[in-house]
Amino acid sequence: MTDQLQARCVFLGAPGAGKGTQAKRVAAQAELAHISTGDMLREEVKSGSALGAEAKTYMDAGKLVPDQLIIDMVKARIQKPDAASAWILDGFPRTLPQAEALDQNLSGDNALTHVISFAVPEAVLMGRLTGRRTCSQCGAIWHVDHKPTQQQGVCDHCGGELTQRSDDREEAIGERLEVYRTQTAPLLAYYGDRGVLREIDANRSPDVVFQELLTQMQ
């Protein structure tokens, strides 16, 4: 295990760019809190909460969940003890108002240290997303072409059933990519102006991307 990185980092990139997979791996290796708004929202949906029911209508359509709902959830999460000094935000912020709200809640020793942009051609993203499958029990991510399981539809790790996320279906993917282009991509200029933005070529093997991430976040 590597030494803990004292990083407070945002992972930016279009759907399918590999943010979540790499965030989990870096967080485990470098002892950072992995804060995934997507995972948090899916837990709410699974639990049947009012928040989950509200969020599901947006998620199923490939649209962004309203800013204030996400902002309140993230503010509460980064105040927990495991996120006191080092964390990766995966899936937040996704809009300029979210980025501005995050800045208002971070200052001094808690300010952002890195924003990593995952660059992947859109044609590659489409293939990644339509083939992605998620274990309904342990949350492991597989791919029908690039990372298949030994038994079709069954997780190699725990034997759970593999499912396709509703927002990974073809009808939702085009909407998700358009939302990214219009609402999230402007954050590249926002963070570039602040001198914290770093771009990584994420259209390479996961191991190569992982090693570069560890270097970039030093």
Side-chain angles (χ1 to χ4, degrees):
M1 175 150 322
T2 190
D3 293 335
Q4 182 180 25
L5 296 175
Q6 295 302 311
R8 291 169 298 282
C9 187
V10 167
F11 280 8
L12 282 180
K19 304 182 302 296
T21 299
Q22 293 292 350
K24 290 177 182 177
R25 190 172 177 183
V26 172
Q29 178 78 5
E31 301 180 33
L32 306 176
H34 173 215
I35 302 173
S36 165
T37 52
D39 288 349
M40 292 163 71
L41 284 169
R42 283 186 285 275
E43 278 300 312
E44 293 289 344
V45 171
K46 188 176 179 180
S47 72
S49 71
L51 170 62
E54 181 181 358
K56 189 174 188 299
T57 62
Y58 295 93
M59 295 163 67
D60 285 352
K63 299 181 183 295
L64 295 185
V65 176
D67 284 345
Q68 195 57 53
L69 187 154
I70 298 293
I71 290 165
D72 291 344
M73 186 171 64
V74 171
K75 283 168 61 177
R77 179 64 183 88
I78 62 178
Q79 292 171 2
K80 292 187 176 181
D82 69 318
S85 61
W87 37 259
I88 299 172
L89 280 174
D90 165 20
F92 180 92
R94 290 190 179 184
T95 66
L96 283 172
Q98 288 181 3
E100 291 164 353
L102 179 63
D103 282 346
Q104 291 170 6
N105 285 274
L106 300 174
S107 61
D109 292 341
N110 292 319
L112 279 176
T113 58
H114 306 77
V115 176
I116 309 292
S117 171
F118 287 61
V120 181
E122 195 163 295
V124 175
L125 296 173
M126 288 292 290
R128 288 184 180 183
L129 290 167
T130 54
R132 183 164 62 180
R133 299 293 183 269
T134 303
C135 176
S136 58
Q137 291 189 26
C138 73
I141 297 174
W142 305 91
H143 193 281
V144 294
D145 296 321
H146 308 310
K147 192 182 178 183
T149 52
Q150 294 182 11
Q151 182 178 346
Q152 185 175 351
V154 179
C155 178
D156 285 355
H157 295 334
C158 71
E161 179 185 3
L162 300 188
T163 61
Q164 184 180 39
R165 283 170 31 181
S166 59
D167 56 353
D168 278 346
R169 295 192 172 96
E170 190 167 353
E171 59 270 22
I173 292 172
E175 175 70 21
R176 293 174 68 196
L177 292 175
E178 178 62 19
V179 167
Y180 174 79
R181 285 191 294 269
T182 58
Q183 298 191 42
T184 306
L187 295 182
L188 300 178
Y190 178 84
Y191 286 121
D193 290 343
R194 283 153 180 74
V196 294
L197 180 68
R198 305 178 186 185
E199 183 174 296
I200 187 168
D201 177 5
N203 190 25
R204 298 176 294 171
S205 78
D207 288 343
V208 170
V209 173
F210 172 67
Q211 291 301 327
E212 185 170 335
L213 281 169
L214 293 179
T215 299
Q216 291 269 26
M217 293 172 62
Q218 293 294 332

